[in-house]
Amino acid sequence: MSDFIGTTADLLRRTPELLRTLLSGLPEDWTDTADVPQNGWRPRDVVGHLITGELTDWVERTQRILEHGTAVPFDKFDRFAHAARDTDASLDELVEHFARLRAENLARLSELATDRDLDRRGMHPTLGEVTLRELLATWAVHDLDHVSQIFAGMAGSHDAEVGPWKAYLGILLRRDDPTAIAG
Amino acid sequence: MSDFIGTTADLLRRTPELLRTLLSGLPEDWTDTADVPQNGWRPRDVVGHLITGELTDWVERTQRILEHGTAVPFDKFDRFAHAARDTDASLDELVEHFARLRAENLARLSELATDRDLDRRGMHPTLGEVTLRELLATWAVHDLDHVSQIFAGMAGSHDAEVGPWKAYLGILLRRDDPTAIAG
């Protein structure tokens, strides 16, 4: 628990560079497929959702906890705000927008909070009382959750090309059946 | 299908840099957890398995196809070779070893094969006849499959810290129950 905020920020700082490395300039046939066939998200949807988190969620909620504790609940998080907002931007532009917002938010976080604040509480509109520590850990795991959706979509884009090897590729089998076990 | 090998190599070239960005110098409490609790792989196991692929699988099999077609089956792939081989190496050392091997193999691939070879066939010891195109597509999707295991392990390392938000984090819920749907 020593330097929890520093360690969490270290991971959060990596995500924009990771998205650049994975996606920058990649041909569209790798990036136009959703993570799952039904109501899934393409890489651009995922990056848009991460942008929404930077605009409205993580640091806003940190500030809410520090200013109001549990007295004023967090605003709800609109999980689909990206759909209307990002239609004209390229995937590379979305990644760079996310990178700018993430850098700004990590700078704000380092000014707002220290590890002594981690047990301070806020009020989630659905989940009830939560701590700042839980909010910041969730920020990091939320990155991991959604970036792995991008991997599933990219794999899915080449589902038809792996031939019989699909039987060994859990990332493809699980798009059709979440309980599938690779051979 | 124009420049299939070039596009596939473009993705394969990104994986070492991606692993560096994600893992280099990261505190061990993010990297010592397996993707699933039962018989899962930690990030170092995943990188070790990717090293085995570079040492014994992808380009060796490419060469086998080009030299022998279906007449000589591929050697079997030892999915657990890393367990005995990599015990003394740090995670950062494993990533750098993988990066060297991947660069060498992409150089070998570009000398060995062109898109005119993609329909040539080889013999997989279990799956039967496969094409060079299927082998190369599988190489790339195999990267995506295993790197996403690293994300699941990293998320799992902070499972206890997200508190009630776990209900919204599919990457954590699926470690316990593959059919879980995030709220």
Side-chain angles (χ1 to χ4, degrees):
Chain A
M1 286 309 151
S2 63
D3 198 20
F4 179 89
I5 291 181
T7 306
T8 306
D10 177 12
L11 190 73
L12 289 166
R13 196 169 286 115
R14 295 168 191 246
T15 306
E17 191 55 36
L18 195 108
L19 292 174
R20 280 191 193 112
T21 302
L22 185 62
L23 299 172
S24 175
L26 201 63
E28 210 170 69
D29 73 324
W30 277 106
T31 61
D32 60 0
T33 303
D35 62 323
V36 289
Q38 297 288 328
N39 301 315
W41 280 1
R42 297 160 300 167
R44 58 179 294 111
D45 301 316
V46 172
V47 179
H49 175 72
L50 292 175
I51 287 172
T52 307
E54 299 304 307
L55 289 171
T56 68
D57 190 323
W58 311 108
V59 174
E60 294 304 316
R61 289 178 171 189
T62 297
Q63 201 157 358
R64 182 71 52 92
I65 289 174
L66 296 175
E67 284 178 9
H68 298 287
T70 57
V72 183
F74 304 147
D75 299 333
K76 288 204 172 184
F77 183 37
D78 180 353
R79 293 192 211 179
F80 301 96
H82 60 274
R85 189 190 56 222
D86 295 333
T87 45
D88 292 336
S90 72
L91 178 56
D92 285 353
E93 287 167 348
L94 292 173
V95 169
E96 292 311 313
H97 186 197
F98 169 68
R100 283 193 302 278
L101 295 170
R102 173 59 56 91
E104 289 166 14
N105 278 332
L106 290 176
R108 279 178 68 195
L109 177 68
S110 73
E111 286 171 17
L112 275 174
T114 74
D115 277 10
R116 282 190 299 276
D117 299 310
L118 289 170
D119 293 325
R120 293 175 70 173
R121 289 174 175 273
M123 185 61 72
H124 188 283
T126 312
L127 300 171
E129 281 200 13
V130 291
T131 66
L132 179 60
R133 186 195 311 277
E134 289 165 349
L135 175 68
L136 298 179
T138 300
W139 190 2
V141 175
H142 181 267
D143 270 19
L144 298 168
D145 198 357
H146 287 289
V147 176
S148 70
Q149 271 186 298
I150 294 178
F151 283 81
M154 290 173 68
S157 75
H158 282 53
D159 182 289
E161 285 165 7
V162 301
W165 266 291
K166 181 168 176 175
Y168 295 162
L169 293 165
I171 198 169
L172 292 180
L173 298 174
R174 287 188 298 273
R175 296 180 75 243
D176 303 324
D177 171 6
T179 65
I181 307 286
Chain B
M1 288 307 149
S2 62
D3 198 20
F4 180 88
I5 291 181
T7 306
T8 306
D10 177 12
L11 190 72
L12 290 166
R13 194 169 287 117
R14 295 169 190 245
T15 306
E17 191 55 35
L18 194 106
L19 294 174
R20 280 193 192 112
T21 302
L22 186 61
L23 299 171
S24 175
L26 201 64
E28 212 171 67
D29 74 324
W30 276 106
T31 60
D32 60 359
T33 303
D35 63 322
V36 289
Q38 298 287 327
N39 302 316
W41 280 0
R42 297 162 298 166
R44 58 179 294 112
D45 302 316
V46 172
V47 179
H49 175 72
L50 293 175
I51 287 172
T52 306
E54 299 305 307
L55 289 170
T56 68
D57 191 321
W58 311 108
V59 175
E60 294 304 316
R61 289 178 172 190
T62 297
Q63 201 157 358
R64 181 72 52 94
I65 290 174
L66 297 174
E67 283 179 8
H68 298 286
T70 56
V72 182
F74 304 148
D75 299 333
K76 286 204 174 186
F77 183 36
D78 180 354
R79 293 193 210 181
F80 301 97
H82 60 275
R85 189 190 56 222
D86 295 334
T87 46
D88 292 335
S90 72
L91 179 55
D92 285 353
E93 287 166 349
L94 291 173
V95 169
E96 292 311 314
H97 186 197
F98 170 67
R100 282 193 303 278
L101 294 170
R102 172 60 55 93
E104 289 165 15
N105 278 332
L106 289 176
R108 280 178 68 195
L109 178 68
S110 74
E111 285 171 18
L112 274 174
T114 75
D115 277 9
R116 281 189 300 275
D117 299 310
L118 289 171
D119 293 324
R120 293 174 69 172
R121 290 175 175 271
M123 185 62 71
H124 187 283
T126 312
L127 299 171
E129 280 200 14
V130 291
T131 66
L132 179 60
R133 185 195 312 276
E134 290 165 347
L135 175 68
L136 299 179
T138 299
W139 189 3
V141 174
H142 181 268
D143 269 19
L144 297 168
D145 198 358
H146 287 290
V147 176
S148 70
Q149 272 185 297
I150 294 179
F151 282 81
M154 291 176 67
S157 74
H158 283 53
D159 180 288
E161 285 165 6
V162 301
W165 266 292
K166 182 168 175 174
Y168 296 163
L169 293 165
I171 198 169
L172 293 180
L173 299 174
R174 287 188 298 271
R175 295 180 75 244
D176 303 324
D177 172 4
T179 66
I181 307 287

